[in-house]
Amino acid sequence: MNPALGRLLAGVGVIALVVLGSLGLLLLREGDDAELRELLTTGEVRELQPALFQSAPLRTAQGGADRVYLISSQSETITRIADRRSRRPSRRELLHFDLWAIDPTTATVAWRKRLRTLEGAQRAGVDLRSFDLLGVDGRTLWLTLDGPLGVSLVDGNVVADGARIDAANPAMAGKRVNDPGYIAFGRHGLQLTLSDASQWRIDANGLRAAPRDTPVRDPRGIVPPADYARGASSTFMTRALPIGERWLGLMTEQEAELYRNPPVVPGRAPGERPGAMQQFLEANHVPPPLHQPAPQPYRLWAARVVRVSAAPPDWPREWPDNWGTRPQFSAYEVLPDAPGFLRAGLLRDSGKHDQALWYRQPDSVLVLHADKLGKEGRLQLTRVSGPVGKPVWSVVLPMDDLHAVMPKEQDLVLLGSEPPPASADQKTTGQGPHLKLVRVDARTGGTKTLDLTAKSLEQSK
């Protein structure tokens, strides 16, 4: 052997040993025996970053089983000690896009489907907004991934994409706009906007196009994602549940004192005839919507509420009354067995509707509240039954921020995040908040939890 070549190979070997030893020491220091074994066995280390679940979840049983569907993007780095060709260390940067199907009954992953992987330069400039979960039409789940993508609810296999839509509708070929905002989902299913500004809906059965507002054959098969909020648990809180002329709601002690007593005009003399200001205050003397609960205890109150004319008190009865109506509250009573709830609201499943969730046997509402203030505080859920406000059960949730609520008749699935504990090591802290899926049994309060962030860090076999 050429002496110079021998010295070169020896030098490469020494460098490889140094790199291998350094990686081994690093992995030993971090206590990751599995990665060390992988390094020694395969000559490479695979490092996953926590998956990002940036899209709203969707719950449906139209695939034959009750499932919660989520999508994620996740970065992976693969480092080899020595490449087979160049005999030098190599590094690969990957970006995976996955579809998850969760069994809510057991809070386990039913399956996980890899839809696409980008590598190296392909990752540059990727707009994660172009990867979104849109909705369900029949047994097809529509996504966006560089254009419309339809997958089976059963197993995640691709059943439709832009090319197949163009093949079914030749007049649309080359006109579809795949930029964010031009692919949507509504009450008639998948909606596409073409380059000429015309809008069309695509029937998942056959992929034929029709004008956007053309009704679908079975509206029950159209399922949108759950409402999704990040950093605003109050999105899923409401103050009260009206039931006919009965009102059930949460108030602080200060609010209860204010609304139980008639409004008073500042500076008004005793016995003075009520004026326009008094009439205005009385008309608006009702508990307002709960936009953001205060860091105070709330209790459940009942009241009687009726609709009365919004006309001025001295409006002649023989004149036409076109003033509409307003609510009039009376007979406030605190529910005697209801405890105080810190920073509380009645749970609802949508930020668009002010309707609290309601369960029967016994008739109950769900109160979402904090167990304590501060960074260590977590959300708590309590089922409270009438008529005296007796708690049926109460559970502390492994989250401090609620992102989505997906109820069924006898259970509900909550999606939220929890920060690492203060005692966590540096590696765990670096992962950031963990996304948690929690199934709550509405009858017993029993819970099952899936840590989606931790699950995403498990190396696939």
Side-chain angles (χ1 to χ4, degrees):
M1 178 185 293
N2 188 314
L5 179 60
R7 288 193 297 271
L8 177 61
L9 292 177
V12 171
V14 170
I15 293 173
L17 286 174
V18 170
V19 174
L20 179 64
S22 300
L23 284 175
L25 288 173
L26 178 61
L27 293 174
L28 283 174
R29 187 178 304 160
E30 295 188 355
D32 203 326
D33 295 336
E35 289 190 5
L36 179 58
R37 287 194 298 270
E38 180 184 21
L39 173 64
L40 296 175
T41 302
T42 67
E44 66 181 24
V45 175
R46 307 172 71 95
E47 182 182 4
L48 284 169
Q49 296 298 317
L52 300 177
F53 296 85
Q54 71 272 11
S55 183
L58 187 149
R59 185 180 186 183
T60 181
Q62 291 182 188
D66 186 15
R67 294 287 183 265
V68 175
Y69 297 89
L70 305 102
I71 54 176
S72 70
S73 59
Q74 185 171 22
S75 296
E76 181 179 21
T77 302
I78 302 177
T79 304
R80 289 195 63 85
I81 297 305
D83 185 81
R84 292 181 179 179
R85 295 183 178 179
S86 65
R87 305 296 181 183
R88 297 178 181 176
S90 64
R91 182 183 179 91
R92 298 173 60 197
E93 300 284 349
L94 309 174
L95 181 62
H96 305 299
F97 295 94
D98 293 347
L99 173 65
W100 301 62
I102 310 299
D103 182 347
T105 303
T106 59
T108 58
V109 179
W111 48 263
R112 179 180 178 183
K113 186 78 171 182
R114 182 139 294 167
L115 300 175
R116 188 164 302 176
T117 294
L118 304 179
E119 183 173 358
Q122 293 177 322
R123 300 179 44 168
V126 172
D127 187 351
L128 294 181
R129 295 178 304 166
S130 63
F131 182 49
D132 199 7
L133 187 153
L134 298 176
V136 166
D137 183 353
R139 295 170 70 88
T140 298
L141 174 63
W142 285 110
L143 314 169
T144 55
L145 183 57
D146 296 330
L149 186 69
V151 300
S152 168
L153 289 173
V154 178
D155 52 20
N157 288 333
V158 175
V159 296
D161 55 19
R164 298 183 211 191
I165 292 174
D166 289 348
N169 306 276
M172 295 176 58
K175 298 181 180 180
R176 191 180 61 256
V177 181
N178 289 333
D179 298 339
Y182 293 98
I183 303 175
F185 192 87
R187 60 192 179 96
H188 299 317
L190 179 68
Q191 300 174 357
L192 303 179
T193 299
L194 304 187
S195 56
D196 60 4
S198 62
Q199 295 183 326
W200 304 82
R201 74 153 177 84
I202 303 298
D203 192 331
N205 185 15
L207 304 183
R208 296 308 300 255
R212 189 192 68 173
D213 294 328
T214 304
V216 295
R217 288 170 294 180
D218 185 8
R220 296 170 300 177
I222 303 298
V223 182
D227 278 358
Y228 187 78
R230 187 181 292 276
S233 300
S234 58
T235 300
F236 305 101
M237 294 180 177
T238 186
R239 181 180 293 274
L241 175 68
I243 310 172
E245 292 189 353
R246 179 176 170 82
W247 179 92
L248 180 68
L250 289 158
M251 293 191 293
T252 65
E253 289 297 328
Q254 294 88 340
E255 288 173 332
E257 180 68 20
L258 172 66
Y259 293 109
R260 290 174 64 197
N261 297 297
V264 176
V265 177
R268 178 169 172 252
E272 182 180 344
R273 184 177 181 274
M277 177 58 71
Q278 183 71 29
Q279 295 170 8
F280 174 80
L281 293 178
E282 289 180 355
N284 290 275
H285 197 61
V286 299
L290 186 70
H291 297 299
Q292 182 66 45
Q296 298 177 23
Y298 287 74
R299 292 192 70 188
L300 273 168
W301 287 76
R304 182 173 181 268
V305 57
V306 295
R307 305 295 303 187
V308 299
S309 173
D314 54 355
W315 187 258
R317 293 185 177 181
E318 62 273 15
W319 289 8
D321 185 350
N322 298 319
W323 293 86
T325 62
R326 62 176 178 85
Q328 184 180 71
F329 281 68
S330 62
Y332 285 99
E333 292 183 351
V334 68
L335 273 58
D337 289 354
F341 300 107
L342 187 61
R343 189 174 267 165
L346 299 186
L347 185 68
R348 62 181 177 184
D349 67 345
S350 170
K352 301 174 184 176
H353 305 98
D354 201 29
Q355 179 64 43
L357 295 179
W358 173 259
Y359 288 91
R360 306 299 299 270
Q361 298 179 353
D363 291 349
S364 312
V365 291
L366 300 178
V367 180
L368 183 67
H369 54 108
D371 62 347
K372 57 185 174 183
L373 300 178
K375 295 181 179 179
E376 298 300 319
R378 296 293 180 266
L379 293 175
Q380 193 163 341
L381 191 64
T382 301
R383 179 172 177 174
V384 182
S385 66
V388 295
K390 182 179 179 180
V392 178
W393 49 255
S394 186
V395 294
V396 177
L397 302 171
M399 59 185 70
D400 69 343
D401 190 13
L402 181 62
H403 303 321
V405 179
M406 293 164 280
K408 292 288 187 181
E409 288 186 3
Q410 295 300 331
D411 77 346
L412 64 156
V413 174
L414 308 176
L415 191 68
S417 57
E418 180 178 35
S423 58
D425 56 35
Q426 185 174 1
K427 183 176 182 180
T428 302
T429 303
Q431 295 172 359
H434 277 218
L435 189 70
K436 305 288 184 72
L437 183 144
V438 181
R439 188 256 187 184
V440 182
D441 188 314
R443 297 164 297 182
T444 66
T447 61
K448 294 182 183 297
T449 301
L450 174 62
D451 187 329
L452 287 159
T453 301
K455 195 69 177 177
S456 73
L457 292 170
E458 296 180 4
Q459 294 284 358
S460 58
K461 304 299 182 183

